Amino acid sequence: MKNIKWKLFSSVAVAALMIAGCSAPVHVEKDDSVDFSRYKTFAWVDKDGARKKDRDRSNDLMEQKFREAVTKALAKQGWRVDDRRPDVLINYDVLVERNNRRETEPVYSQPFTRTFYNPYARRFYNIYYPSQFMGYDDYSRSVREGTVTITVTDTRTDKVVWQGWTTDEVNSRNLSSKEINNAVKSIFRKFDVAKR
């Protein structure tokens, strides 16, 4: 029974390490002179100005998903939304562009079986030759890479006090809910460390 538990635990640990290793790298810059413990409230930057509605409605759903994900992440930090007198303003930016990614894959020969005739024993013998490592195949493929940047600006000084960004491969020009949530979670994992 202990052996089965140990195998299950080790399998889960290896899977967790593989998932953590596959996540996109996150970069963070912060103003070291700022005391983040005094920030408790935030509001969103009004991108269109004077609370006007966005003329381009194609990004409304993506913006809603971003606001929900960031608000949830900041609520875990003990922050709350305050549109009247916020401590900081939150802004996000998404850039999706085409890029060429270099890939390298190992190349193996095809396994095969050869048949030989032994005239002394008057018998046929099959000899199996397993696949062998032949080297690496280098190639490039076109991908879409999305960069998500989240910026925190102090409302009193109007200075950027924290900025986090991550770049990962995306499926289309607009990010899906899953891609948005993954990017925001990755960035705010570093936010907790940065405010200490």
Side-chain angles (χ1 to χ4, degrees), residues 13 46 50 70 75 149:
D46 189 8
V70 171
T149 306

Side-chain angles (χ1 to χ4, degrees), residues 72-86:
K72 186 177 177 182
L74 286 173
K76 286 183 181 176
Q77 305 287 334
W79 293 27
R80 62 182 171 75
V81 177
D82 182 0
D83 290 328
R84 301 181 92 189
R85 296 189 66 188

Side-chain angles (χ1 to χ4, degrees), residues 20-28 66 93-101 143-150 163-172 175 179-180 182-188 190:
C22 294
S23 63
V26 175
H27 307 281
V28 171
F66 261 107
D93 188 43
V94 178
L95 174 67
V96 177
E97 58 188 358
R98 287 211 174 270
N99 202 351
N100 286 326
R101 182 173 287 179
V143 296
R144 283 182 202 244
E145 287 187 337
T147 302
V148 174
T149 306
I150 297 173
Q163 192 172 50
W165 66 95
T166 184
T167 302
D168 202 1
E169 191 174 328
V170 295
N171 293 327
S172 68
L175 273 62
E179 291 167 339
I180 290 170
N182 287 343
V184 170
K185 281 180 186 174
S186 297
I187 290 171
F188 277 98
K190 296 273 184 145

Side-chain angles (χ1 to χ4, degrees), residues 74-140:
L74 286 173
K76 286 183 181 176
Q77 305 287 334
W79 293 27
R80 62 182 171 75
V81 177
D82 182 0
D83 290 328
R84 301 181 92 189
R85 296 189 66 188
D87 296 328
V88 295
L89 292 174
I90 306 290
N91 189 16
Y92 78 91
D93 188 43
V94 178
L95 174 67
V96 177
E97 58 188 358
R98 287 211 174 270
N99 202 351
N100 286 326
R101 182 173 287 179
R102 295 208 35 93
E103 300 281 341
T104 302
E105 287 187 0
V107 178
Y108 293 91
S109 65
Q110 290 290 331
F112 63 96
T113 303
R114 271 199 152 154
T115 304
F116 293 97
Y117 177 71
N118 184 342
Y120 301 107
R122 296 184 188 170
R123 297 182 72 183
F124 286 95
Y125 294 97
N126 291 329
I127 298 178
Y128 176 75
Y129 293 90
S131 63
Q132 294 183 348
F133 177 69
M134 305 286 286
Y136 290 98
D137 182 20
D138 292 333
Y139 63 94
S140 67

